[in-house]
Structures are given as structure tokens and as C-alpha cells.
Amino acid sequence: VQLQASGGGLVQAGGSLRLSCAASGRTFSGYVMGWFRQAPGKDREFVSAISWSGGSTYYADSVKGRFTISRDKAKNTVYLQMNSLKPEETAVYYCATSEDDCPNNECYYLRGWYDYWGQGTLVTVSS
């Protein structure tokens, strides 16, 4: 499984960016794709996730209403549309997926549940 994240850059506070995660190496039906971020000196934290098959979505409370996750099955790509960005959201953003089962949706929020990670894309939000 290979994940390639892109779309990061420099944006002013209140601006928008759309991140992409191109997935390859297998079919992803039944999988969940997630986005995490890691700010300098901080732990990697959950941002959002989406069920590849059904499209169910999951968000961290801090991004609800501002970020939207989606997927394009034909392109094997997951997107993260980020609006109203804040300076404290400056971080490297990673996409991830897992081959493991999840008995409940709580797994999707946990960094340790994910097996495969993209290389990350830097988002810098200036004040």
C-alpha cells in the first residue's frame, strides 16, 4: 500500500486549502482512510476519516464545520477540504489507512490503529 499526500502550502488565516491523498497498491473497498496532523513539538493528532465503501465520515471536534473529507473511488484518492484555517493548524498533514478490523468506530480516531502512512504535506497558516 502506498499513500501520497499533496496539496499543502502557505495560506493566510481564514483561507482554504485542499489536500489530496492518492492511494495505490490494493483495492480499498471496506477500508477507512484517515487524516492526521502533527504540529512542531506536538503529538500527531486525528483530524478526519472516511469509510471508503459507504462514505461515512468522522471528524475531530476542532475541525467540524470547517473541514470536509471526501473520496473519489475512480481516482483512488481521498481529499480534505480545509476552510477557515487558523495559525495553530500549521502542521504536517498525513493520510493513513489500515488493514485491521475495527469493532467500533473508535479505532478510526487512534493513530496506533493505522498501518500505512503517507509522507505528509506541510500546511502553514500565517496570521
Side-chain angles (χ1 to χ4, degrees):
V1 174
Q2 292 83 41
L3 303 175
Q4 181 73 36
S6 62
L10 175 63
V11 63
Q12 289 188 334
S16 299
L17 279 177
R18 189 178 80 156
L19 305 183
S20 300
C21 178
S24 62
R26 63 156 300 133
T27 58
F28 292 92
S29 177
Y31 279 30
V32 167
M33 305 293 289
W35 283 99
F36 285 71
R37 64 189 179 191
Q38 187 166 16
K42 295 189 176 181
D43 291 336
R44 194 170 298 186
E45 64 174 2
F46 172 80
V47 176
S48 184
I50 187 168
S51 164
W52 192 262
S53 296
S56 297
T57 57
Y58 310 86
Y59 296 96
D61 288 343
S62 60
V63 307
K64 283 180 181 176
R66 298 186 297 117
F67 289 15
T68 303
I69 191 171
S70 61
R71 86 276 193 240
D72 185 329
K73 290 182 177 181
K75 295 183 178 180
N76 254 17
T77 299
V78 174
Y79 303 99
L80 185 67
Q81 177 67 42
M82 306 185 296
N83 299 329
S84 302
L85 282 160
K86 304 174 183 180
E88 55 266 37
E89 294 179 310
T90 292
V92 177
Y93 284 70
Y94 299 89
C95 57
T97 191
S98 175
E99 294 182 329
D100 297 333
D101 292 329
C102 182
N104 54 57
N105 297 342
E106 294 177 3
C107 300
Y108 308 150
Y109 298 82
L110 302 177
R111 173 184 176 180
W113 181 74
Y114 291 84
D115 299 319
Y116 301 98
W117 293 83
Q119 85 289 2
T121 185
L122 176 63
V123 172
T124 303
V125 185
S126 63
S127 56

